[in-house]
Amino acid sequence: MPIIAPSLLAANFLNLDAECKTLNESQADWYHLDVMDGRFVPNISFGPMLIEFFRKATTKVCDVHLMIEEPEKYTEQFKNAGADILTVHLEACNHLHRNIQQIKGLGMKAGVALNPHTPVASLADILHDIDLVCLMSVNPGFGGQKFIPFTLEKIKQLRKMIDEKGLQVHIEIDGGVALENAASIIAAGADVLVAGSTVFKSADPAKTIQQLKQL
Ligand code: DX5
Ligand code: ZN
């Protein structure tokens, strides 16, 4: 069964208490928390302060997706805020290996995210050091965008790389995941589905999570 990681970016921020309760009582596995700095991506969302609140609101895994430049400057802050998994973008890191060691040294799981144009082959020399790859299936920065179909090809390539090396690395797909395409995403080899709009804009978020889980 896939891991379901609803993205809180699509939640109603005037009603976060209730949104968290819904997630906590649902089959959601992780909270996916999108941090945007207005530099790496053309949008600004939230930072460690809000993640501290989410940490207090749930016992589920806090999966923090950093869409920021110079993530190494903030690693410790996100650890202190309660992140369990910290994902940085390959495109934002000149010293990715060092950044990964820093994240793991603080006791978090480490993820690397790739923009749609970045080949999965660029992970070859870092794959054995990380816990998760986040393949962006939209250009990061906004929720509610359309899934880029070529991502399915990238999932297959990455699944092959991971299996050939005998590694246990999560493949997380982020952007435009819907009830209509989730089965093909899983069939291609992904095991973590991020879903923002699909979950929070649906009439019954808990039921939508259950439907994704059962795929
Ligand atoms: C996009 C974020 C995603 C986003 C997904 O930059 O990384 O996590 O919230 O939203 P949907 O599922 O609506 O595409
Ligand atoms: Zn994300």
Side-chain angles (χ1 to χ4, degrees), residues 7 32-34 65 67 134 136 172 174 194:
S7 164
H32 184 81
L33 302 168
D34 289 301
H65 177 193
M67 285 160 275
C134 173
M136 291 307 304
E172 172 178 74
D174 189 3
V194 174

Side-chain angles (χ1 to χ4, degrees), residues 107-124:
M108 293 177 283
K109 296 215 179 289
V112 174
L114 298 187
N115 280 337
H117 74 277
T118 305
V120 294
S122 52
L123 292 167

Side-chain angles (χ1 to χ4, degrees), residues 2-16:
I3 289 171
I4 308 300
S7 164
L8 275 293
L9 196 64
N12 176 359
F13 275 59
L14 278 179
N15 206 12
L16 275 185

Side-chain angles (χ1 to χ4, degrees), residues 4 6-7 10 143-145 175-182 193-209 211-212 215:
I4 308 300
S7 164
Q145 302 183 80
V177 173
L179 286 171
E180 297 71 33
N181 60 18
L193 299 178
V194 174
S197 327
T198 292
V199 166
F200 287 102
K201 310 291 182 216
S202 75
D204 186 345
K207 187 167 165 220
T208 305
I209 291 166
Q211 285 171 322
L212 288 168
L215 285 169

Side-chain angles (χ1 to χ4, degrees), residues 116-117 136-139 145-153 175-176 181:
H117 74 277
M136 291 307 304
S137 36
V138 298
N139 285 293
Q145 302 183 80
K146 215 173 150 305
F147 182 85
I148 299 173
F150 186 68
T151 312
L152 292 176
E153 194 48 48
N181 60 18

